[in-house]
Amino acid sequence: MPRASKLLPSLGHASSGAAGTVISTLLTYPLDLVNTRLKVQRQLRLDDSLSEDECYRSVFDAFVKIYDTEGGIPAFFSGLSADVLKSAADSFLFFLFYTWFRARRLVGRHPDLQYLRVVEELAVGAAAGACAKLFTTPVSNVVTRRQTASLLDRSPSSSPTRKQQTQKGFWEVLREIQAEKGGVLGLWAGYSASLVLTLNPSLTFFLQAILKRVLVDRKKWDDPGSGVTFLLAAMSKVGATAVTYPFQIGKARLQMGRKSSEGEGEKEKRGGIFNTVARIRREEGVRALYDGIGGELLKGFFNHGTTMLTKDVVHGVIIKLYYIVAGFLVQWPALKRILVGRMRKRNEKGGWQLVGRGVLADLVKGGRIGASMMR
């Protein structure tokens, strides 16, 4: 396939990545909710919003208490719809930007190269993550509020006449965050942490590539098998999460908000994620930066492994559908002439020349394969 066209491959990876993320999010959401609460409960305890008895001692203890005190199984899926929306959009945009940026960089260096240098690989992943988080941070803030809503409702500062957090819908929470943070830009609280955490997917894919080269035979790099794909993805995610976890703690606290004096609040707001992490280490100790890390590593293992395994399956289906559709299209000479005419017009105007040639080449190739598949 010519390297000139990278739009369709990017869309294919983005769509399959989003599908894989949706499935993994549905499977691991209860664990994600528990992890979020473990990240912020220490802050709520220091603010006297939670008693010692109400705090969770472990992941298992959190599951038991939530089930016993908050209505059983449904309590583990509070905020699920918003998180599925955020996760799907986040994954789609990340894979779209990542595949596009990486392909452009490879073409810029040398058309025959298949791998980037370590620094370039990390930079591409970080840039893709930053672009994706720019669009999804407001939804991420809503998800964090919904996941910790039950804890906030227990707070002594929560008035009996005030509408409970668990009763609020998506738009109500969004407006509440905007009012608390002082404007529309407040919806992007925690974005500085997201920028730092873009290293997480970068490190994940970098470690996955390294593990594949070390542990998998070169002949099987393109298709190592479903079991190996799951394990490589899961182990790489665990490694990346262990490195960036303190910033996940800081992000969760920034998104939930913290009761503090006006001067302290302004200082923390200006300092962003680094000031938040430094304050936690100074006031609460290093151990506070790793609250709930066991659950997060467990979630990362299954979540990312499932995502990448499902992504490969869905991507294969998309490729087959693409070739089948192309096979139908090339059987209609009139349609082919219209497509070629439009591509030529685009080429004359410039801008889409490389993409146009690549799409046409892909269509012809896909038509031949699709036609053979339909015989």
Side-chain angles (χ1 to χ4, degrees):
M1 181 187 294
R3 287 190 179 274
S5 173
K6 295 302 174 184
L7 179 61
L8 291 179
S10 298
L11 289 173
H13 283 290
S15 301
S16 57
T21 299
V22 168
I23 293 174
S24 62
T25 298
L26 291 172
L27 292 175
T28 62
Y29 186 78
L31 184 57
D32 185 42
L33 181 142
V34 167
N35 289 338
T36 300
R37 294 192 181 189
L38 289 172
K39 290 173 185 175
V40 302
Q41 70 171 0
R42 184 186 291 264
Q43 174 188 337
L44 294 174
R45 179 72 184 92
L46 293 173
D47 292 337
D48 294 324
S49 298
L50 286 179
S51 66
E52 187 69 32
D53 292 336
E54 290 176 315
C55 290
Y56 308 125
R57 295 188 297 273
S58 64
V59 173
F60 180 76
D61 183 56
F63 272 104
V64 172
K65 286 183 177 179
I66 292 172
Y67 182 85
D68 290 341
T69 62
E70 298 180 27
I73 297 296
F76 293 106
F77 295 92
S78 176
L80 174 63
S81 58
D83 193 43
V84 169
L85 173 64
K86 185 267 295 183
S87 299
D90 214 3
S91 181
F92 180 88
L93 292 171
F94 175 80
F95 280 109
L96 180 66
F97 285 119
Y98 178 82
T99 309
W100 178 262
F101 290 159
R102 192 174 188 277
R104 298 292 295 180
R105 182 56 185 162
L106 284 170
V107 172
R109 288 186 60 195
H110 194 283
D112 295 327
L113 288 177
Q114 296 183 359
Y115 299 101
L116 297 176
R117 291 191 292 265
V118 173
V119 175
E120 292 176 315
E121 196 74 61
L122 293 175
V124 166
C131 291
K133 296 296 183 183
L134 181 64
F135 293 95
T136 61
T137 295
V139 184
S140 179
N141 284 330
V142 174
V143 171
T144 300
R145 291 293 181 98
R146 293 299 303 276
Q147 290 180 333
T148 58
S150 180
L151 297 180
L152 296 174
D153 285 341
R154 302 179 201 168
S155 171
S157 62
S158 181
S159 171
T161 60
R162 183 183 175 186
K163 187 173 183 180
Q164 296 291 287
Q165 293 289 332
T166 51
Q167 299 173 352
K168 294 181 179 179
F170 178 87
W171 296 108
E172 283 184 281
V173 176
L174 205 64
R175 287 193 293 270
E176 182 180 79
I177 295 173
Q178 181 179 343
E180 287 181 8
K181 301 294 184 178
V184 176
L185 292 180
L187 298 176
W188 276 264
Y191 181 65
S192 60
S194 297
L195 292 179
V196 177
L197 289 172
T198 56
L199 288 175
N200 188 290
S202 300
L203 286 172
T204 299
F205 284 106
F206 170 68
L207 291 175
Q208 188 171 340
I210 294 297
L211 289 174
K212 183 164 67 174
R213 295 182 198 180
V214 173
L215 301 177
V216 180
D217 187 90
R218 186 182 183 90
K219 297 178 181 178
K220 297 182 179 180
W221 281 3
D222 292 333
D223 185 18
S226 57
V228 175
T229 297
F230 179 90
L231 288 176
L232 292 179
M235 289 189 296
S236 61
K237 187 65 175 180
V238 167
T241 299
V243 173
T244 60
Y245 190 75
F247 294 100
Q248 293 187 34
I249 291 283
K251 178 186 176 183
R253 295 199 182 187
L254 284 173
Q255 289 180 326
M256 194 190 70
R258 177 177 182 262
K259 299 174 186 177
S260 57
S261 64
E262 183 177 349
E264 185 182 358
E266 286 299 316
K267 181 179 179 182
E268 188 160 303
K269 184 177 179 180
R270 289 194 303 269
I273 182 62
F274 291 102
N275 190 72
T276 300
V277 171
R279 179 189 59 77
I280 294 172
R281 185 194 63 79
R282 183 176 63 253
E283 297 179 2
E284 304 171 35
V286 175
R287 185 177 179 180
L289 294 173
Y290 293 92
D291 280 344
I293 190 172
E296 189 67 28
L297 293 178
L298 185 64
K299 174 212 162 188
F301 183 88
F302 288 106
N303 186 289
H304 190 67
T306 304
T307 296
M308 297 307 295
L309 179 60
T310 309
K311 175 185 177 295
D312 285 351
V313 173
V314 174
H315 189 250
V317 173
I318 290 176
I319 291 175
K320 290 179 180 178
L321 290 175
Y322 168 71
Y323 285 144
I324 291 174
V325 172
F328 278 111
L329 292 179
V330 295
Q331 293 181 14
W332 297 84
L335 183 59
K336 186 175 179 180
R337 285 196 298 271
I338 292 174
L339 181 61
V340 172
R342 289 184 178 179
M343 290 300 180
R344 286 174 178 170
K345 289 181 181 180
R346 289 282 190 181
N347 292 344
E348 292 173 0
K349 294 179 181 179
W352 281 66
Q353 182 174 0
L354 291 178
V355 176
R357 289 177 182 172
V359 169
L360 185 58
D362 285 351
L363 184 61
V364 173
K365 176 184 177 182
R368 294 178 186 142
I369 298 176
S372 64
M373 290 174 65
M374 291 184 292
R375 289 191 184 115

